[in-house]
Amino acid sequence: MSIIKADTHPLDRYLRTERLPHVWCPGCGIGTVLGAYLRAMEKIGMDPEKSIMVSGIGCTGRAAGYVRMDSFHTTHGRAIPFAVGLKAARPDLNVTVFSGDGDLFAIGGNHIIHAARRNANITVVAINNFTYGMTGGQLAPTTPETGITTTSPYGNVESPFNLAGLIAVAGASYVARWTSLHVRRLEKSLEKALKKRGFSFVEVLSQCPTAYGRRNRMRDPVDTLKYFQKYAVVKNHVNPLEGVIEPNKPFVVGEFLDAPEEPTFEDKLWELTKAEFLHTSQAERSEWIIEHRRHLEVLSRIISGKGGEE
Amino acid sequence: MATESNTEKLLERSGLSLPRGEVYLIEDRCKGCGLCIAFCPKHVLVVSDKFNKKGYHPPELVEEEPVNVCINCGFCERICPEFAIFVKEKKEE
Amino acid sequence: MSKDILVGDHFLSGDVAAAEGAIAAGCRFFAGYPITPSSEVAERMARRLPEVGGIFIQMEDELASMAAILGASWGGRKAMTATSGPGFSLMMENYGLGIMTETPVVIVNVQRAGPSTGLPTLLGQGDVMQARWGTHGSYQAIALSPESPQECFDMTIKAFNLAERFRQPVILLMDESVGHLFERVTIPPKEEIEIVNRKILKDKNRKIYEPDEDLVPPMPPIGEGFGIHVTGLTHDERGYPSINAETQERMIGRINDKIRKYADEIVDYEEFMVDDAEVIVVAYGITARSARRAVIMARENGIKAGLFRLKVIWPFPSKRLEELSDREFVVAEVNNGQALVEVERAIKKRAVFVGKMGGEPHKPQEILKGIEEAVK
Amino acid sequence: MARLELQIGGFGGQGVILAGLVIARALSLYDKKEAVFTQAYGPEARGGASSSGVVIDDERVDYPYPLNPDILVIMSQEAYSTYFPRLKEGGTLIIEKNLVKMDKVPEKVGEFHSIPATKIAEELGNRIVANIIMVGFITKTTGIVSKESAKRAVLEMVPAKVRDLNEKAFETGYSYEEG
């Protein structure tokens, strides 16, 4: 038997096939993660016509250009506030931000923690490839200690962010971390993230053979995936602060946080516009706000790994 | 991946037959990264000698019964960053 | 009574009048970050937008504010932000995205004296060139400059109309003095207010950046299956990145031409006693009010002076100034000579410059001195 | 009436901003005059000094700030030093009797009035209404704004729960007999 030649792929209806092949290097994990995202969308029956993808700048930032849905490729670091504005204006649409670690956590770091704090009802897929790929492999806020990049040629002396931990404590409703090897679990996780009302965040560790792997003994994309296979420990609902990633040591992947659903930022913004809300007294309005506030003590229990049950 | 081989063992023990798959490839989307080959749990794929339009070596199938047969697990389809390879369940003739 | 247009006479500050103008224009989304002397715009919007079904968000910074209003505009809402110098600098990044993606929004910049933090509570007019050239690349800016709360109201409506018509961010270039002074503002009934709305793309087969005859492409709605792609990269008519000189020439050429083609229509100025004037003072914003007094004082002293007030600063009324170039010119502004450059370019000679570094408006006497110097 | 300038100076907390705003609003909206209200700033804005300006005209006001006030209302000694030199020759000077000390009324003053607004306010129960007492007094002594308009503006601009107190303050200031 031989491989059967095909012209179309099962995910083609979600893709701007006229733009394929995409710009990503051979073996880059972004395409894999994008595939997982589209399968998750398909699985939960999310209508692509009612779905928006917003990206920032960088390799992952190009994702918005390949999906057959309304998509925005914005400025460096600003995908989140663009998406927050869009979602607030159009809460009827599903809004996903699909971008990279540098875009979301270096130049855009302030925006993502605020979007999580507000519990904006958007899904953020953050591909963490430990470097700036598009500009040639420079130091990122996620580059592991000792990591060699073009701007840390002697080894990285900085400590990287623990993205999942950071976003969990900032106030997100759903937080998970997977790798580009854990495709099935990633897909399941993305299904949950997309369905979750509130700020949902999925970090995906991924390989950048060209810009990062090449300088860090993982020249072949397979090398990075083998690394993930060796060191990733699947654990659900651990304390997100235990999610620190150190070179050549086991690191946690899994679902860090799945908080009970609460009114989202947009729910509250739109409530303000209702006549019945505006015409109540200030005391009654305060009461409504308190009633619909985030259950921070529950969130804090979940975050501390003690579970969310009463 | 570990999950797949466990499933396989379980199925074997229970006497059920594994599903069989057919592998499809959009050859010119392939960038020859080798992820499908490296991570196919049944090792049914190898690098081919031929070049596609972009000069990459796409994978080819080496089905050698009874070990190296496609079980329609879909991992190659999922790991492929290029939307190039996919599998379909093989219907029994 | 409908809350969206507060018909009647009000005694408002320029900042508050601009907010009311926005609401009258149909603005239903505001994202901003507090900064003196523009905070009153945000405060008014925070109070008023929910009353009219609008959304107000105080963002984490000005970068985010600008990004959020672009997102909201693509979401189909008329959107605005308000800021002052330091925030305006931060907004330049996504102002550029707004130009590139042809997104209608309004940016209110209540100018204070800079550079940097400068004089937070005090007057400046030093953002004129930043309003023209603040973001990188080649483009045509539209910036309006009101001199009174009434004009803050009227011109905010006009700014929205221009933004929607030309699909581009429009700047309302106020200044601290105009923003903070109170005066009567007459809000006319709804039917007397001209409102322009963006053209909406209806044909799903048409490329999203394919322009009409006016060089402006109709704006596609989102969430309706158009499958649009919008990028800050140079893009072709489909909206797809097209990184080459040919597309750059064609697309950026059009983005410039759509404004250039109608520049004469956009240009707006007021001539006060200009007809027989021997010397003309060019001024805008609060400085125009000092200049008007100076012109009257000059006339009392027997000097035939006039005022040429820039109501729209960008595009610049070079054509009209060139026609007047047989007169003597004085330029007064609270900066080191920004409109001056454009005036001298138009009249092809030097003008007497009466500048101030900021902190307070010109005393009429200061401009009068300039007038006297010009006729010497 | 040609251009007429009113300036009120005092220190922060006396409500000189509200006093100016009330008068300007009354003039603009109810007396249908052209009026501009500004908060004066400059070096005197430091050290807690505070001042508001109202410029009135039959036609649209051009330069909106007082240059040489026709009427100067002074509620602190510091404001007196700052603003008095700007008073127009023959202009009207109104002072807070207990807070501004002067040996004799300077020569350039054409018309002079004084009122112990803060003390009266304290007698009414809250020194915070000293500014509204001053508004009533300005209304009566200068005649630049009609009583109905000024009172209407006061009542519109103060919180509902202190409306009665402010109305009383305005009336008290309006009917104050200098002596």
Side-chain angles (χ1 to χ4, degrees), chain D residues 1-157:
Chain D
M1 184 170 63
R3 182 180 170 99
L4 188 139
E5 302 177 351
L6 162 71
Q7 188 153 30
I8 311 175
F11 51 78
Q14 281 183 315
V16 300
I17 303 298
L18 182 64
L21 192 53
V22 160
I23 292 169
R25 181 185 172 92
L27 282 161
S28 174
L29 295 184
Y30 314 127
D31 283 356
K32 298 292 174 195
K33 294 267 170 41
E34 292 297 332
V36 190
F37 167 80
T38 56
Q39 299 176 41
Y41 47 77
E44 67 270 14
R46 293 196 282 265
S50 162
S51 128
S52 63
V54 180
V55 178
I56 313 159
D57 212 328
D58 294 326
E59 290 168 34
R60 214 169 64 129
V61 176
D62 41 53
Y63 184 69
Y65 301 94
L67 287 162
N68 298 109
D70 299 271
I71 302 164
L72 187 59
V73 181
I74 297 293
M75 294 181 74
S76 78
Q77 198 66 40
E78 197 190 336
Y80 179 76
S81 325
T82 308
Y83 295 111
F84 182 74
R86 301 185 193 173
L87 178 67
K88 187 179 270 181
E89 200 70 40
T92 301
L93 177 68
I94 300 173
I95 61 166
E96 205 310 342
K97 203 172 184 174
N98 293 326
L99 299 179
V100 182
K101 299 284 174 212
M102 58 180 76
D103 301 336
K104 61 179 177 68
V105 178
E107 259 178 42
K108 79 164 172 181
V109 175
E111 198 180 323
F112 178 80
H113 302 280
S114 70
I115 179 170
T118 313
K119 190 158 168 279
I120 298 172
E122 282 170 355
E123 285 162 12
L124 287 179
N126 196 337
R127 60 184 291 146
I128 205 163
V129 295
N131 61 339
I132 301 301
I133 291 169
M134 195 55 104
V135 169
F137 190 61
I138 295 166
T139 306
K140 178 65 177 294
T141 53
T142 66
I144 55 167
V145 57
S146 70
K147 186 185 177 191
E148 298 68 38
S149 302
K151 195 164 143 183
R152 183 174 165 190
V154 167
L155 297 181
E156 275 174 0
M157 296 197 65

Side-chain angles (χ1 to χ4, degrees), chain A residues 16 18-19 49-50 64-65 69-73 75 78 81-82 85-86 90 93 110-111 114 118 269-270 272-273 278, chain C residues 50 54-55 58-61 64 67-68 71 74-75 77 93-94 222-223 225 227-233 240-241:
Chain A
R16 299 181 192 271
E18 68 275 25
R19 299 202 63 217
E49 292 200 356
K50 297 290 174 199
M69 53 178 105
D70 293 335
S71 55
F72 296 89
H73 178 221
T75 39
R78 318 299 166 217
F82 186 99
L86 197 155
R90 293 291 300 274
L93 302 175
N110 195 32
H111 308 308
H114 284 280
R118 295 182 175 111
L269 285 177
W270 282 88
L272 299 186
T273 69
L278 289 172
Chain C
I55 295 293
Q58 181 170 315
M59 296 300 288
E60 54 272 17
D61 57 31
W74 278 99
R77 298 210 141 208
E93 172 197 56
N94 283 315
I222 61 166
I228 63 168
H229 182 60
V230 176
T231 175
L233 290 167
Y240 292 171

